[in-house]
Amino acid sequence: MYCKTCGRELQPGHAFCGGCGTPAPKAPQADGVNFGNGAIPASQTPLYRSDLQYNPPAGQPVRRPDAPKPPKRGNWKLPVIIGLCAVLVILLVVATVFVVDFLRPEPMVDPGPPSISDPTPHIPVEPDEPEEPDTPAVTDGPLVTDAFYDDTHLTSYGSGVFAIPQINLDSSEIRAINDEIYQELYTNLTAGALREWDNSGKSVTYTWAENGDTLSLLIEVHPVDWEWTDYYVYNISISEARELSKLEVIDSSGITNYYKTARQALEAKFWGNYDHDWLQETTDMVDFFNEQLDATRANSNIEKALPYFNRKGELCVVADIYSLAGASYYTQEVNLEDFYYEDRFAGYAEAAVSDDDYIIPDSNTRRISESELYGLTEHECWLALNEIYARHGRLFARQEFADYFESKPWYNGYIEGSIFDANADSYLNSIEQANLATIIDYQKRMGWR
């Protein structure tokens, strides 16, 4: 007989299985096997054949083929994984609670009066003062004062003055500017200027003006006899304590066409330095006069000019005004908002020549009528038109016009036609423009254009 649980063969006469301890089945009755509703005689009980007996592999317990199989073991991995996940979730929740509690600010509790029994009274902690923004400090006094002043040194022309300024705004950029001014004016000039220098000596003076948020500082270094002047110009944003660019200063002035305005102001300054009647009588100076005039009003000279505001809030510039004698130019202060201007300043000086050298001698200063053109041929009418351009130095590609104007003593051609035509409004005055329109209309009516 074999154990129904583990399949091990039961020893005869044993009540329990020697392998698993399962009670051994009772021996069958002699008269047959009882199945409940009837008994099968022993002679009819089926016997097992030895040749059909189940033979298990070596090393395994012997079990009959018809013996019940032992129960399968359950899957142990799934419960273990579930348990580990539960542990991790619990640890994560605990860590989250700890971090939130650690970062939560401490509630401010009024400690109340110190206890009498407490020998060390509670001293409340003052909250930190808010940090002040990094803004430049503005002084309550004058924005500019003397960093150095001396009026005791004597020269051949009298007492020289040294007044070196400093800007009273606090920022690293302003401190650098103050150092630059002091080093340039005091260290580099004082030692030589306190002595006789070119028999005149130097002086340093300055003026400053506040215009809205802009501080303009103008420093003048010049010989005591005032033959010429060197300038230092600084424009400062008061609220930001920094130096402004030229473009920022020009934009804040409100002048819409800076180059045209500066050109006219420089022309007026140049013409104002000389008597026009005297110039016309001195014909050998006319060409040089016109050359220096062009150098004064050139765009390159305007770009070098240094803008600043005066005490009236007017935009001015420090610019080079070219000269007919002495130095080639002198640096001067020029007001761009207050100057006297005539249309002829846009042109050139003319030598005293005969009216025969012109088709219409005064077409640059007097408006002409169409009737004055009636006696002109087509060719003369073209010459009358082009001599308005020729007065301003326009060059001509057409050879017959080029040869004609080169023969005139007053002609000084130097501006390419394309450049002149693109900027004609800046060269021609209003009278010349009106006369050009009159001639062109007449040419069209005559079929010459």
Side-chain angles (χ1 to χ4, degrees):
M1 297 178 59
Y2 294 90
C3 177
K4 295 181 179 181
T5 300
C6 64
R8 186 172 182 176
E9 186 176 6
L10 300 176
Q11 299 296 324
H14 289 197
F16 297 92
C17 174
C20 64
T22 302
K26 293 181 180 181
Q29 297 180 4
D31 54 351
V33 179
N34 188 7
F35 284 93
N37 0 358
I40 300 177
S43 60
Q44 298 180 9
T45 302
L47 299 177
Y48 291 96
R49 291 174 53 183
S50 59
D51 57 337
L52 298 177
Q53 186 175 353
Y54 172 73
N55 295 317
Q60 292 189 4
V62 178
R63 182 172 62 85
R64 286 175 51 186
D66 60 343
K69 296 180 180 181
K72 294 182 179 180
R73 295 183 181 180
N75 188 358
W76 61 271
K77 294 183 180 180
L78 181 61
V80 171
I81 294 174
I82 294 174
L84 290 175
C85 291
V87 172
L88 290 176
V89 171
I90 293 171
L91 291 176
L92 181 61
V93 171
V94 171
T96 302
V97 173
F98 177 80
V99 171
V100 171
D101 185 71
F102 180 80
L103 296 178
R104 182 181 300 124
E106 293 287 340
M108 297 187 68
V109 180
D110 185 4
S115 174
I116 297 177
S117 61
D118 186 1
T120 305
H122 177 77
I123 301 176
V125 178
E126 294 291 336
D128 294 336
E129 296 183 0
E131 295 183 1
E132 296 183 358
D134 187 15
T135 56
V138 180
T139 180
D140 293 332
L143 291 173
V144 181
T145 53
D146 292 334
F148 175 83
Y149 184 85
D150 174 53
D151 61 354
T152 60
H153 67 285
L154 299 177
T155 71
S156 304
Y157 290 84
S159 297
V161 176
F162 269 81
I164 300 177
Q166 68 177 8
I167 301 169
N168 297 320
L169 295 173
D170 188 17
S171 73
S172 59
E173 184 172 350
I174 298 302
R175 288 192 292 272
I177 290 175
N178 284 333
D179 290 342
E180 173 186 296
I181 293 172
Y182 192 84
Q183 291 296 327
E184 178 71 18
L185 300 182
Y186 182 83
T187 305
N188 296 341
L189 295 178
T190 302
L194 290 176
R195 303 190 304 269
E196 287 281 327
W197 187 81
D198 286 352
N199 296 322
S200 61
K202 282 188 176 180
S203 286
V204 179
T205 58
Y206 68 88
T207 58
W208 63 275
E210 182 180 353
N211 182 52
D213 187 52
T214 302
L215 165 66
S216 292
L217 174 60
L218 181 69
I219 306 172
E220 303 174 32
V221 181
H222 51 77
V224 178
D225 60 2
W226 289 84
E227 288 184 359
W228 71 87
T229 303
D230 293 326
Y231 290 90
Y232 298 82
V233 178
Y234 297 91
N235 292 287
I236 306 298
S237 168
I238 299 172
S239 61
E240 300 177 11
R242 65 175 181 85
E243 188 170 10
L244 298 171
S245 67
K246 290 172 57 175
L247 184 59
E248 288 176 311
V249 177
I250 293 170
D251 287 345
S252 66
S253 70
I255 294 179
T256 56
N257 194 333
Y258 170 74
Y259 272 86
K260 181 178 180 180
T261 303
R263 177 190 177 94
Q264 292 178 343
L266 296 184
E267 288 172 341
K269 189 75 171 180
F270 183 87
W271 281 90
N273 288 342
Y274 304 99
D275 180 74
H276 188 235
D277 293 335
W278 165 83
L279 182 64
Q280 283 189 321
E281 295 175 359
T282 314
T283 57
D284 56 340
M285 289 292 294
V286 170
D287 289 343
F288 184 57
F289 177 94
N290 291 334
E291 289 176 7
Q292 297 297 78
L293 172 60
D294 282 333
T296 298
R297 63 189 176 193
N299 284 345
S300 58
N301 192 42
I302 295 174
E303 290 173 358
K304 292 190 302 181
L306 302 176
Y308 68 95
F309 290 104
N310 64 13
R311 291 181 177 177
K312 294 181 180 180
E314 298 166 332
L315 184 66
C316 305
V317 294
V318 169
D320 296 337
I321 307 299
Y322 284 75
S323 172
L324 301 183
S328 60
Y329 64 84
Y330 293 94
T331 305
Q332 300 181 32
E333 301 168 40
V334 182
N335 192 318
L336 301 191
E337 299 187 50
D338 184 13
F339 60 92
Y340 173 75
Y341 189 76
E342 297 180 17
D343 288 340
R344 65 183 178 88
F345 293 166
Y348 291 92
E350 298 178 6
V353 295
S354 170
D355 289 348
D356 294 338
D357 289 318
Y358 293 94
I359 302 299
I360 303 177
D362 54 355
S363 61
N364 63 327
T365 58
R366 178 184 63 84
R367 296 192 66 163
I368 63 175
S369 63
E370 186 178 295
S371 61
E372 296 180 64
L373 306 176
Y374 291 163
L376 299 180
T377 65
E378 179 182 357
H379 181 69
E380 291 173 335
C381 197
W382 277 105
L383 293 177
L385 177 78
N386 285 321
E387 75 180 3
I388 296 177
Y389 299 130
R391 281 193 177 97
H392 297 277
R394 187 189 189 279
L395 294 170
F396 297 92
R398 190 168 173 177
Q399 194 61 44
E400 62 176 305
F401 292 148
D403 292 342
Y404 172 81
F405 290 113
E406 286 291 347
S407 68
K408 301 302 177 182
W410 52 266
Y411 179 66
N412 180 29
Y414 70 100
I415 304 175
E416 290 294 335
S418 58
I419 297 176
F420 185 96
D421 296 343
N423 302 277
D425 290 344
S426 63
Y427 293 114
L428 303 173
N429 61 44
S430 58
I431 293 176
E432 290 171 320
Q433 293 179 26
N435 289 339
L436 285 171
T438 299
I439 296 173
I440 291 172
D441 288 342
Y442 179 72
Q443 287 178 316
K444 289 179 179 179
R445 194 164 61 82
M446 297 296 294
W448 298 339
R449 171 183 285 269

